[in-house]
Amino acid sequence: MSTVKLERDGTSLILDAAGAPQVLHWGAALPGPVPQTALLAGPVVNSRYDFPVPANPLWPAAAEGWRGTPLVSGSRNRADASPRFRNPEVQASESAVTLTAADRSCGLVLKTELEILPGGLLRQRNTLTNTGSAPYQLLHLSVCLPAASGAGELLDTTGRWTRERAPQRLPFGQGTWTREGRHGRTGHDAPVLLAAGTPGFGNRHGEIHAVHFAWSGNWRVRAERTPDPSRLLAAEELFGPGEAELAPGESYTTPWLYGAHSAAGLDGITAAFHTWLRSRPSHPRRPRPVVLNTWEAVYFDHDLEVLRELADTAAALGTERFVLDDGWFGGRRDDQRGLGDWTVSAQAWPEGLEPLISHVRGLGMEFGLWVEPEMISLDSETARSHPEWICRARTDELPPEWRYQQVLDLTNGDAFKHVLQQLDDLLENHAISFLKWDQNRDLTDMAAQGRPSARGQTLAAYRLMAELKARHPLVEIEACSSGGARVDLGVLEFADRVWASDSNDALERQRIQEWTQRLLPPELVGQHIGPPQAHTSGRTHGLAFRGLTALFGHFGMEWDIREAQGSDRELLAALIALYKQHRSLIHTGTAVRADLADPGLQLYGTVARDRSEALYVFAALDSSPDETPGNIALPGLDPAARYRLDPVILDEPHTFLHRTPPAWFSTGLEAGGAWLGAAGVPMPVLNPERAFLLHVRRTEGE
């Protein structure tokens, strides 16, 4: 039997493994037997090959009649350039399969691993082995998954510093849509998802296939539609010249390509990713602590008494983790020096960090620290002692400087050991439970002793994180990279959360967090309340809007909270208490987001897995042409159950524009889930950049 059928949690993948493997179906589970595959061959048409060319091949190759981008590109001294892999050996279980085939003429073996994960998420990776007697110059090895025949629209994300993950849509016409990232890191502009769906698909409607490439280095993703009519979504690493030459017997394995299918819009894609991420053994299980990060409170001005006062204020408000940011080490009094010298500064901390750490822990809080282990300042003891540890493509000059820093060559064994030992000593000798691990520049012009090394540097950063976690398993790591430039499932094999953006502007964060959380559940996304005036944009927001924006994530503050006095202090304490009250629901429930006609309005939230409870935010990001929002439906509730709906009012002036609120605001409302999910309820009129919270609890029904 040439047919392979994988099935799990409502998703099916069906392959025809005879000849050149072909994907017959990837989507909703299909009960019953698969038709005879020989009868599913397409027509032979005029002015084309004299045999049916399979649509949506798993291993697209010119030798099989494929006229698009091949799976494998490379050669051995300009020969063996058109490999053909057929009739694979198949090892299959209910939810996983491995296909292995050899092209003896080209001296290559290809292995493909496919697995359906909890939640119906699919992942795939390929391994190419050189079985020839001479090196093979690999140019690329892709991973491909098909989109549905009705997919007529593409969606991905792009962006920049402090405005990461902005969505963009375009028609999925014939041809190839290609995106490339040459940052040496994931990048602020990286497509967190590449989705293909029925035209006009939204949060809660439309059929969609979406993929994510789990890699933190240079990448290429593409959507390709041929007249076959195949529709493929694919990704691959971008190699520097000679970076992927395979010696005889050597193999290269791609990063995982993750894919999700949904017949119910983007919320279905999100559910597949969130379900699998939460099922991992490494996923954080304990409640995510309220964080205070010191960066926007003190910047480089490290004064023990000021930081003690900040810790006292934080603890009194209910903070659970205190993180000391940049400026504690070496000669680091500003951003122009010190990187690479990961020892406590005797100038800034004459008694060491212990007086602050003891104070913080005595207040019942955990202590965390900022580090940037992959970078080096020219003005540092490490650079002066070991200039050969600085990455460079040319011996006579350095790469362009970025934030006064260069890249430390972690592919150099001595440099790797140096950083590992310094960080290990730091964790061994101090009660540190959290590392904010930053990476503040692109790795362009990237080479180790003149040889391209962006790939090796990425793998070395992974190894460094993995080794520190092995030695200190209770220490959590946050992946930060100039904010949100390293948000991917590759780094999340080692990190415990990501920093979504350096922007704490609540308006920008509403959009950034929406698309970050299309991939990642809220408990993996750091979201902090910043100062009243955002330091990246100059925009000013009230505390309620800033707090509710941060609520649906791993909540914290990055602000001199000593400034919060009177009613603001009371409101900040209430927000922290609100997060603690609802974090279990937010961090375990199903994320939902309504489709609203007015783009200036947002309704999103979390519904408990048993649908007994839900929490929603209704936010106005802009003024509306309508006088009132009208009735807004609440997605995700059980239509057969009955619920009570109550507003959670955070008393702050100028939140509402109306003279009187909807009638249910003063009494609450009881209604059926079917009513709330379809007819909805009238919403208040909000001023722009304001929000309020809705709490829904089941009163009866199963």
Side-chain angles (χ1 to χ4, degrees):
M1 182 75 175
S2 66
T3 302
V4 177
K5 183 177 183 180
L6 308 182
E7 202 158 74
R8 188 173 190 175
D9 292 350
T11 295
S12 287
L13 178 74
I14 302 174
L15 305 174
D16 180 5
Q22 176 188 6
V23 179
L24 300 177
H25 171 78
W26 170 38
L30 295 181
V34 178
Q36 187 177 343
T37 55
L39 299 179
L40 298 177
V44 176
V45 299
N46 293 328
S47 190
R48 198 178 176 214
Y49 294 101
D50 298 333
F51 53 88
V53 177
N56 298 326
L58 187 66
W59 295 341
E64 296 289 353
W66 175 251
R67 294 172 292 178
T69 306
L71 185 82
V72 181
S73 180
S75 68
R76 185 180 285 104
N77 297 324
R78 296 188 294 175
D80 302 332
S82 183
R84 186 186 197 191
F85 302 101
R86 311 195 90 235
N87 300 315
E89 176 187 333
V90 178
Q91 294 178 309
S93 64
E94 185 177 348
S95 60
V97 65
T98 299
L99 308 176
T100 307
D103 184 332
R104 291 179 176 80
S105 173
C106 288
L108 297 169
V109 171
L110 177 66
K111 180 176 77 173
T112 293
E113 300 165 81
L114 286 148
E115 181 181 8
I116 302 182
L117 302 163
L121 190 68
L122 176 66
R123 70 176 179 180
Q124 180 191 171
R125 66 182 178 185
N126 291 324
T127 299
L128 189 72
T129 301
N130 177 15
T131 57
S133 58
Y136 186 82
Q137 292 81 41
L138 179 63
L139 299 179
H140 82 244
L141 177 60
S142 300
V143 193
C144 308
L145 287 169
S149 59
E153 185 174 37
L154 297 174
L155 179 148
D156 69 358
T157 59
T158 185
R160 59 168 173 81
W161 180 69
T162 70
R163 206 180 187 281
E164 296 90 338
R165 285 170 290 289
Q168 56 183 9
R169 291 179 182 250
L170 69 157
F172 193 1
Q174 289 187 2
T176 304
W177 165 251
T178 301
R179 296 280 312 282
E180 294 184 351
R182 300 177 183 272
H183 306 281
R185 55 179 173 172
T186 323
H188 296 97
D189 61 340
V192 66
L193 293 173
L194 173 59
T198 49
F201 64 84
N203 295 323
R204 307 286 294 177
H205 67 275
E207 183 178 16
I208 307 169
H209 288 87
V211 297
H212 169 83
F213 195 47
W215 177 241
S216 307
N218 292 335
W219 49 265
R220 179 187 290 124
V221 298
R222 68 178 183 276
E224 193 160 28
R225 179 177 170 182
T226 62
D228 295 2
S230 294
R231 288 167 170 82
L232 293 182
L233 305 177
E236 64 217 28
E237 279 191 67
L238 276 178
F239 302 130
E243 201 173 13
E245 182 173 274
L246 302 181
E250 190 175 5
S251 298
Y252 162 73
T253 299
T254 68
W256 288 106
L257 181 69
Y258 290 84
H261 166 265
S262 170
L266 288 163
D267 277 2
I269 299 294
T270 295
F273 278 99
H274 289 194
T275 299
W276 174 69
L277 284 162
R278 287 171 170 166
S279 75
R280 299 173 305 153
S282 61
H283 191 75
R285 301 296 170 195
R286 67 187 181 101
R288 311 308 294 136
V290 177
V291 177
L292 176 74
N293 182 282
T294 66
W295 178 243
E296 292 188 36
V298 301
Y299 296 100
F300 288 106
D301 187 11
H302 286 197
D303 179 276
L304 177 58
E305 290 310 310
V306 169
L307 289 165
R308 278 175 169 160
E309 288 178 17
L310 197 59
D312 290 341
T313 305
L317 288 166
T319 304
E320 297 160 313
R321 175 181 287 164
F322 185 95
V323 180
L324 182 66
D325 211 284
D326 195 358
W328 58 268
F329 54 92
R332 186 76 162 177
R333 307 284 78 78
D334 54 38
D335 65 355
Q336 299 184 29
R337 68 202 83 245
L339 293 176
D341 299 339
W342 300 108
T343 54
V344 179
S345 168
Q347 177 187 352
W349 295 92
E351 299 177 67
L353 290 176
E354 196 53 39
L356 178 62
I357 295 175
S358 295
H359 188 75
V360 166
R361 288 173 56 81
L363 293 167
M365 295 185 292
E366 301 173 11
F367 184 81
L369 205 59
W370 180 94
V371 294
E372 193 173 5
E374 301 158 65
M375 300 297 154
I376 187 168
S377 302
L378 296 183
D379 186 357
S380 67
E381 292 304 316
T382 302
R384 283 186 281 272
S385 301
H386 295 283
E388 74 278 10
W389 289 358
I390 301 173
C391 291
R392 64 181 76 203
R394 292 159 302 285
T395 57
D396 58 343
E397 62 179 308
L398 291 170
E401 204 163 56
W402 180 308
R403 206 189 179 210
Y404 310 104
Q405 63 193 54
Q406 295 289 347
V407 182
L408 181 69
D409 181 11
L410 291 181
T411 69
N412 180 303
D414 291 335
F416 184 96
K417 290 175 185 176
H418 168 80
V419 176
L420 175 61
Q421 190 61 56
Q422 286 194 320
L423 295 179
D424 185 41
D425 289 346
L426 192 68
L427 295 175
E428 189 68 35
N429 296 317
H430 299 85
I432 297 169
S433 62
F434 176 83
L435 291 178
K436 179 180 178 180
W437 188 300
D438 215 336
Q439 181 205 32
N440 271 314
R441 65 159 292 162
D442 278 1
L443 279 61
T444 51
D445 198 26
M446 185 64 189
Q449 297 181 338
R451 298 175 65 88
S453 65
R455 177 170 188 267
Q457 183 78 7
T458 302
L459 294 173
Y462 286 171
R463 287 197 305 274
L464 185 58
M465 290 184 191
E467 181 60 31
L468 282 170
K469 293 279 280 189
R471 297 184 185 189
H472 306 278
L474 298 182
V475 173
E476 293 187 5
I477 292 175
E478 175 184 66
C480 176
S481 185
S482 308
R486 187 149 64 181
V487 174
D488 64 78
L489 296 187
V491 77
L492 274 166
E493 292 187 25
F494 313 98
D496 301 278
R497 78 172 206 169
V498 301
W499 183 231
S501 177
D502 277 345
S503 175
N504 278 326
D505 176 327
L507 180 61
E508 298 291 352
R509 271 286 187 149
Q510 282 277 340
R511 302 182 178 105
I512 291 165
Q513 291 166 187
E514 173 183 355
W515 292 97
T516 305
Q517 292 186 18
R518 281 294 171 207
L519 178 72
L520 304 180
E523 62 270 25
L524 297 184
V525 183
Q527 299 180 183
H528 292 178
I529 301 173
Q533 185 175 56
H535 84 149
T536 54
S537 68
R539 190 182 278 124
T540 300
H541 290 119
L543 179 53
F545 186 61
R546 285 148 49 216
L548 291 180
T549 299
L551 185 67
F552 279 75
H554 186 177
F555 177 92
M557 297 155 288
E558 193 160 330
W559 168 31
D560 188 348
I561 55 176
R562 298 175 302 166
E563 298 172 354
Q565 299 294 327
S567 60
D568 269 359
R569 187 180 178 94
E570 293 174 2
L571 180 53
L572 181 56
L575 285 162
I576 292 171
L578 193 66
Y579 169 74
K580 290 181 177 180
Q581 177 188 352
H582 293 294
R583 63 182 159 191
S584 177
L585 170 62
I586 293 169
H587 295 166
T588 62
T590 301
V592 294
R593 187 171 285 270
D595 287 303
L596 302 183
D598 187 337
L601 299 177
Q602 300 274 331
L603 185 130
Y604 59 91
T606 304
V607 180
R609 285 173 293 183
D610 64 0
R611 297 193 288 183
S612 62
E613 186 181 15
L615 196 66
Y616 301 95
V617 169
F618 183 63
L621 307 188
D622 200 354
S623 60
S624 174
D626 297 322
E627 292 179 342
T628 75
N631 281 23
I632 302 293
L634 306 180
L637 301 174
D638 181 356
R642 190 165 182 83
Y643 293 93
R644 178 173 175 82
L645 171 64
D646 289 291
V648 180
I649 303 298
L650 300 173
D651 188 18
E652 189 169 65
H654 310 300
T655 295
F656 300 106
L657 182 60
H658 51 240
R659 293 171 59 191
T660 60
W664 65 270
F665 248 51
S666 58
T667 63
L669 174 72
E670 288 202 13
W675 180 276
L676 294 172
V681 293
M683 289 293 174
V685 184
L686 295 172
N687 274 309
E689 299 169 31
R690 303 293 195 278
F692 81 100
L693 202 61
L694 295 160
H695 188 204
V696 181
R697 290 164 291 177
R698 186 167 59 198
T699 58
E700 61 181 59
E702 294 298 330

